[in-house]
Amino acid sequence: MDLIFAEATPPGRGGVSVIRLSGEGARSVAEGLVGSMRTPRHAYFRNLTIEDETVDQVLAMWFRDGHSFTGEEVVELHLHGAPVIARRVSAALLECGARLAEAGEFTRRAFLNGRMDLAEIEGLGDLLAAETEAQRRLAMRATSGELATRTAEWRSWLVEAGAFVEVSVDFADEDVPDEVPAEAYGMIERLHASISKEIAGFSAAERIRQGFEVAIVGPPNAGKSSLINKIAKRDVAIVSTVAGTTRDVIELRLDLKGLPVTLLDTAGLRQSEDEVEVAGIERARERAFAADLRVHLSDSGDAIADLWHPGDIALCGKADLSGATEQAISAVTGVGIDAVLDQIFDRLRDRVAGAGIVSHERQLNELQMAANALENTQHLPVELLAEELRKANHALDRLLGRIDAEDYLDKIFLSFCIGK
């Protein structure tokens, strides 16, 4: 493969800038800049010289092929974080025949060289995008190979069950015990139950990865925008005594005790003849209905009946004026706001309690194909059963990207940054 390089740290001014090279000749090219590096994984403090001029003092290290992130020979140059230095070194590397890496190309090479499977790569992408502790923990489970370990266990069951079935097919005329097919069926049933349990945990895991939406709904002037601003501790939404001020859905992203949550400030729900306001109200209803949770806010504490879902929260607003104390909040004094955030967290936490390790739709689809192949197999003849087991095994191979992975790679790496 080509010798590639990229700045692995964010562009701009900083304390340190790291440039990473990967591919055949990485060490040789780097030694042309910093001198001999004989020992792998040893940090060398050197002058980096270009055209007999010392450009910077750097830390340099190299990794043998087979012992690096990409599986190729890799060199890292730790420069001082002035953009001019990174530009000068990049220009020198281009002159040496290296090329700038594409987004995700280092990780793509790790996959192609067998250093990571497809599920681990998806987890790495999630880790790079993680904003909360719950997202980080979920991503780390994938990146550490937990799904690969679980899949290996499933495949071992498949292989054992398949062996029983193949014996029954290949030696049907021989003296094979009658209980062999029955034992295979029992093993398949346990495998189907295990995969189905992981499928059932997909919804909660996906919500952790993508985040929850909580809609604040109610009539005009109920204090929805004021509540959003109080939680954000800044003016996110326009607050006015004029009813119908909020026309579009305003979003506020929160890290709520480790859970990713987006609060939605929606248009006040009422009858209106204003065409723009009517459009905003319709959009508010659509987003609120699709949200994971709704907070119904009004002066009386009543909920919007057609939007109410079990588990929703109903609140009295403007507690500083009404004097209400039960399920009441005030965006002016802050009374009750911490309590309602705790309620939101408790409800969402209950929903993610059963989260599995499958959090991408691609992974879900492969597991569903495997589960479908294993479903209702109790009365299949052994010849057809053997084919269903092969289908399930094929789906598990696709799950980890061992086959048919090219269709997914470009899509997966679209979200990766250059240098990773």
Side-chain angles (χ1 to χ4, degrees):
M1 295 183 181
D2 297 341
L3 176 60
I4 59 173
F5 76 94
E7 196 171 353
T9 44
R13 191 179 305 276
V16 175
S17 175
V18 178
I19 290 182
R20 178 184 295 147
L21 299 89
S22 181
E24 186 177 354
R27 176 189 176 189
S28 176
V29 168
E31 286 183 332
L33 301 176
V34 300
S36 176
M37 296 183 291
R38 295 185 177 182
T39 307
R41 294 188 292 182
H42 179 85
Y44 293 89
F45 181 60
R46 295 284 178 76
N47 288 335
L48 188 149
T49 303
I50 301 174
E51 297 178 349
D52 297 326
E53 178 188 4
T54 298
V55 174
D56 192 16
Q57 291 182 316
V58 305
L59 282 177
M61 62 191 75
W62 70 281
F63 303 83
R64 294 184 187 274
D65 57 333
H67 298 275
S68 69
F69 174 76
T70 64
E72 303 173 329
E73 188 173 68
V74 167
V75 170
E76 288 189 357
L77 301 174
H78 295 237
L79 321 170
H80 287 96
V84 64
I85 299 175
R87 289 196 299 267
R88 184 73 182 276
V89 174
S90 296
L93 293 175
L94 289 171
E95 291 179 2
C96 291
R99 66 168 175 83
L100 187 64
E102 299 175 357
E105 190 168 4
F106 287 92
T107 308
R108 182 190 289 263
R109 292 191 176 193
F111 170 74
L112 295 176
N113 291 322
R115 304 290 290 178
M116 304 180 73
D117 62 51
L118 203 57
E120 289 172 337
I121 288 173
E122 288 168 324
L124 179 59
D126 294 340
L127 184 61
L128 295 174
E131 296 178 336
T132 71
E133 272 296 300
Q135 291 174 324
R136 182 196 63 78
R137 286 193 293 267
L138 180 66
M140 279 302 301
R141 293 177 67 187
T143 305
S144 62
E146 186 171 339
L147 183 56
T149 301
R150 186 77 53 85
T151 303
E153 180 182 13
W154 290 333
R155 292 186 79 248
S156 69
W157 293 355
L158 268 178
V159 169
E160 191 170 353
F164 289 143
V165 174
E166 294 294 342
V167 166
S168 301
V169 173
D170 295 339
F171 302 98
D173 297 332
E174 302 293 334
D175 185 18
V176 178
D178 294 337
E179 67 271 10
V180 170
E183 187 172 355
Y185 287 132
M187 189 170 298
I188 292 168
E189 185 176 353
R190 291 193 298 273
L191 175 59
H192 181 267
S194 179
I195 292 177
S196 298
K197 181 179 179 181
E198 195 59 51
I199 290 174
F202 167 76
S203 179
E206 183 189 38
R207 298 319 297 155
I208 292 176
R209 186 174 69 84
Q210 295 186 346
F212 294 92
E213 286 194 346
V214 177
I216 303 175
V217 298
N221 283 344
K224 300 184 295 299
S225 297
S226 297
L227 175 59
I228 284 279
N229 290 343
K230 188 68 173 179
I231 293 173
K233 298 180 181 179
R234 57 189 174 90
D235 289 339
V236 175
I238 297 174
V239 176
S240 170
T241 58
V242 178
T245 299
T246 301
R247 301 296 181 92
D248 207 347
V249 177
I250 297 173
E251 301 183 358
L252 172 65
R253 295 180 66 85
L254 293 177
D255 180 344
L256 186 57
K257 301 182 183 180
L259 292 180
V261 176
T262 299
L263 294 182
L264 307 178
D265 178 21
T266 62
L269 304 181
R270 65 170 181 171
Q271 296 295 324
S272 175
E273 296 181 358
D274 185 308
E275 183 178 346
V276 177
E277 186 179 358
V278 168
I281 291 171
E282 182 61 29
R283 181 172 297 181
R285 285 187 174 277
E286 291 175 357
R287 291 292 298 274
F289 189 83
D292 299 287
L293 181 68
R294 285 142 296 278
V295 175
H296 299 254
L297 183 63
S298 65
D299 293 346
S300 63
D302 295 331
I304 306 296
D306 62 327
L307 289 179
W308 178 264
H309 289 61
D312 282 358
I313 301 170
L315 299 173
C316 292
K318 304 177 183 179
D320 54 304
L321 300 178
S322 67
T325 56
E326 293 295 328
Q327 285 293 100
I329 63 167
S330 169
V332 175
T333 65
V335 168
I337 291 180
D338 288 341
V340 73
L341 290 176
D342 287 341
Q343 290 182 59
I344 293 172
F345 172 75
D346 289 340
R347 282 160 171 75
L348 298 181
R349 179 185 56 185
D350 292 341
R351 298 185 188 185
V352 302
I357 54 177
V358 172
S359 60
H360 286 257
E361 188 172 351
R362 181 199 69 83
Q363 300 169 357
L364 175 68
N365 290 338
E366 301 300 350
L367 282 188
Q368 287 176 330
M369 292 186 69
N372 291 340
L374 299 172
E375 193 173 14
N376 299 324
T377 57
Q378 290 293 334
H379 304 293
L380 286 178
V382 290
E383 294 85 354
L384 295 181
L385 178 56
E387 177 60 24
E388 294 304 306
L389 293 184
R390 281 191 285 270
K391 288 181 182 179
N393 192 58
H394 199 73
L396 294 181
D397 280 340
R398 287 196 304 269
L399 174 63
L400 299 181
R402 291 174 178 159
I403 55 175
D404 301 336
E406 288 298 325
D407 294 339
Y408 303 113
L409 290 182
D410 290 339
K411 182 177 180 181
I412 289 172
F413 290 125
L414 281 177
S415 61
F416 274 60
C417 57
I418 293 175
K420 191 58 180 175

